[in-house]
Amino acid sequence: MADKSPEPTHFFDCNVFVGSPAYQRPLLPVPKAGALLAEMDRAGVDRALVWHIAQHDASPQAGNRLVVEAIRPHERLTGCWAVLPTQTRELAPAPLLFRQMREARVGALRIFPSVHKFVANGVSLGALFGELVDRRIPLFVSVRRGMDWPDVYALLEDFPDLVCVICDHGSWGMDRLFRPLLERYQNVHVDTSQYLLDGGIDDLVTVYGERRLLFGSGFPESYFGGMMLALRHARISDQAKAAVAAGNLERLLAGAEL
Amino acid sequence: MICDSDLAREFWELGKSDSCPIYDMHGHMGRWQGIYFPRAETEQMIGTMDECGVRLLVFSHHDALLAPDIGNRSAVEAVRKYPDRLRAYCVVNPNYPDRAMADIVTYEQNRDAYVGLKFLPDYHGLPLTHGDYRAAWEFAAEGELLVLTHTWKDSELDGPATIRTVAERYPRVKLLLGHSCHGDWDAAVSLARDFPNIYLELTAVFDDRGVIEKFAGEVGSHRMLFGTDLPWFDPHHAIGVLLSAAISDEDRHNICHRNAETLLEPFLRANMLEEAIHDHETS
């Protein structure tokens, strides 16, 4: 028999959504927070940073409202809002926006430039994102939904100090695309949700350190357990596992000045 | 701990299971043009297999798939180095029918290494029904070999309609649908229901929540096969997904090893007999 692995660290999932996708009904929908929490309990996931699919499919206004309603009764859930360029004045301006986030227990932001039809660079986002940089508010971007790699590169070129987590970067081997960003920009991170690469976790942590990788499942489109088991048995230290599983996300959220 | 089951506890604690060995029916080996692999060499892959409890990997070498000038010899060499851990599919590239024919002619000499054939139509650019595949299909049918073919939704080369044609044409072939017509899950279910010689191989399916339950519920876990594209995907991810899915431990046993053991039995048995004869003759 092999030696037992260390007891599990607790898991804080950085990449979870709730709600009903408009464009295709999923095989196993998770429309409400209650269903999400039931799945988290079954898997052993303690906390989650949650966005709402309506933020992408419908509008940030509708989705931001829905995610606040979803997380309000559940301390284990932290919200993530979607934002737009400020020029069209569709969301609250910067100081008010951050206060609303704090009051609603929303700790981070997302953008979906392709479907929301804007360019993610300094021209469009400079007024707001300058504040994000100064306040170290984490921005989550998804390569699966809303951003392509040239968009991510352009965004970081204009905001090199942005605290950014690149999610859903693709299961078919994207290291040559995201590792240059990890090397150039010290506040860039990636999540695990599609990092299925055999030996990827070990290699990434060895090269870039444990602080640059965050546990994210991609739930409900992916299962919690896949990357949980991969992380638990990765060839990295217990300290590194704890950082990836929860500590890094806790640090990023705690570092934000809202 | 992912879920409340005996297998979940075992995999969570140890990373592997004595009672549930893994037979990975869809692997590769070596470098690939479009991806960085931390563990692409044979020994590194064996290390991963040890950690995850993968008893046997059945693979096609990347060189055989994309470097016709190298072909299948790297795969045969690897199997002969690790005969208790590896078996290979003989890759057929229809763009070079003369070389494919040579591989078929020499298949007997490498029967200790092979369990069947591997087709990659979406990359090689010809449909499974193309005439330059015919000799390989007929050879596989005659020997009742396993054929693992890449399959993908909407593909005219290896999509559901093409699969239906070849499944009707070659009922003696054990047809393993690599990726299970990825993205067209209803078509994969229909094919598996209509053809008893079709098996649903799960590489890259593990990343889509709900499909495992759908296949197990609508086809049955006795027709599903574990696969990871190793060295692409971490087997622990795939195992974690099987533990996450709302299926039973009996289903997990079927998917991880029982179905593969049944499919591989004629080939592993033949190899063992040959080894016994060889040992007897040399003793």
Side-chain angles (χ1 to χ4, degrees), chain A residues 42 196 202 223 232 235, chain B residues 12 39 48 51 213 234 244:
Chain A
R42 177 172 178 264
L196 315 186
D202 320 6
Y223 296 89
R232 177 169 169 78
R235 298 176 197 167
Chain B
W12 186 250
R39 300 180 192 165
T48 289
E51 289 176 353
E213 289 93 332
D234 183 346
S244 293

Side-chain angles (χ1 to χ4, degrees), chain A residues 62-124:
Chain A
N64 289 351
R65 187 171 64 248
L66 286 170
V67 80
V68 170
E69 292 171 5
I71 68 168
R72 186 179 296 130
H74 308 293
E75 289 289 331
R76 295 163 62 194
L77 305 180
T78 301
C80 184
W81 271 356
V83 290
L84 296 165
T86 54
Q87 294 82 359
T88 49
R89 303 183 183 186
E90 296 171 88
L91 300 172
L96 177 59
L97 177 74
F98 302 139
R99 193 171 77 231
Q100 290 175 342
M101 289 173 65
R102 187 177 65 245
E103 291 169 356
R105 220 173 60 252
V106 170
L109 296 172
R110 282 183 175 250
I111 52 172
F112 304 102
S114 59
V115 71
H116 293 168
K117 290 192 173 62
F118 65 88
V119 178
N121 64 11
V123 176
S124 301

Side-chain angles (χ1 to χ4, degrees), chain A residues 1-5 7-8 11 27-30 39 42-44 144 171-173 175-176 179 193-194 196-200 202-203 219-230 232-233 235, chain B residues 1-3 11-16 18 33-39 47-48 51 152 204 206-214 229-237 239-241 243-246:
Chain A
M1 294 279 275
D3 293 337
K4 277 189 173 184
S5 290
E7 282 306 300
F11 288 87
L27 288 170
L28 298 175
V30 180
E39 290 291 331
R42 177 172 178 264
R144 187 181 201 171
S171 57
W172 301 99
D175 289 71
R176 293 172 189 159
R179 288 192 184 211
S193 63
Q194 292 188 309
L196 315 186
L197 180 70
D198 183 44
D202 320 6
D203 196 72
F219 187 89
E221 293 175 316
S222 300
Y223 296 89
F224 287 117
M227 292 316 299
M228 288 174 70
L229 195 67
R232 177 169 169 78
H233 295 291
R235 298 176 197 167
Chain B
M1 200 185 57
I2 301 180
C3 78
F11 278 109
W12 186 250
E13 293 296 332
L14 306 174
K16 53 185 162 183
D18 290 337
Q33 90 282 50
I35 182 170
Y36 162 64
F37 291 129
R39 300 180 192 165
T48 289
E51 289 176 353
W152 213 261
F206 293 115
D207 198 27
D208 284 85
R209 180 171 166 268
V211 183
I212 302 295
E213 289 93 332
K214 178 182 177 70
D229 264 346
L230 193 72
W232 294 67
F233 302 140
D234 183 346
H236 273 142
H237 172 267
I239 296 164
V241 164
L243 297 172
S244 293

Side-chain angles (χ1 to χ4, degrees), chain B residues 73-93:
Chain B
R73 67 172 181 264
S74 304
V76 173
E77 289 168 6
V79 173
R80 288 182 178 153
K81 191 171 182 182
Y82 294 98
D84 56 337
R85 307 300 302 279
L86 301 173
R87 286 295 183 278
Y89 299 103
C90 178
V91 172
V92 172
N93 183 341

Side-chain angles (χ1 to χ4, degrees), chain B residues 8 16-17 56 71 113 126 129-130 144 201 211-212 217 250 257:
Chain B
K16 53 185 162 183
S17 164
L56 188 79
L126 292 175
T129 49
H130 192 275
E144 298 188 356
E201 187 281 316
V211 183
I212 302 295
E250 285 301 301
H257 65 103

Side-chain angles (χ1 to χ4, degrees), chain A residues 126-223:
Chain A
L128 176 61
F129 276 37
E131 291 274 350
L132 261 58
V133 171
D134 291 344
R135 293 169 178 261
R136 299 184 302 283
I137 296 170
L139 180 77
F140 286 71
V141 299
S142 169
V143 178
R144 187 181 201 171
R145 191 177 269 110
M147 297 276 284
D148 206 345
W149 287 105
D151 304 326
V152 180
Y153 273 69
L155 175 69
L156 290 167
E157 190 169 357
D158 282 359
F159 303 100
D161 297 321
L162 183 68
V163 177
C164 181
V165 182
I166 303 169
C167 298
D168 316 314
H169 46 75
S171 57
W172 301 99
M174 299 298 164
D175 289 71
R176 293 172 189 159
L177 286 160
F178 65 70
R179 288 192 184 211
L181 299 173
L182 291 173
E183 183 176 290
R184 173 69 64 89
Y185 306 109
Q186 293 307 303
N187 290 331
V188 166
H189 311 72
V190 292
D191 92 326
T192 61
S193 63
Q194 292 188 309
Y195 201 33
L196 315 186
L197 180 70
D198 183 44
I201 292 173
D202 320 6
D203 196 72
L204 192 85
V205 168
T206 300
V207 176
Y208 296 101
E210 66 209 36
R211 294 166 66 91
R212 312 297 291 282
L213 184 64
L214 276 64
F215 169 69
S217 66
F219 187 89
E221 293 175 316
S222 300
Y223 296 89

Side-chain angles (χ1 to χ4, degrees), chain B residues 60 89 108 186 188 229:
Chain B
S60 56
Y89 299 103
E108 286 299 325
D186 287 332
D229 264 346

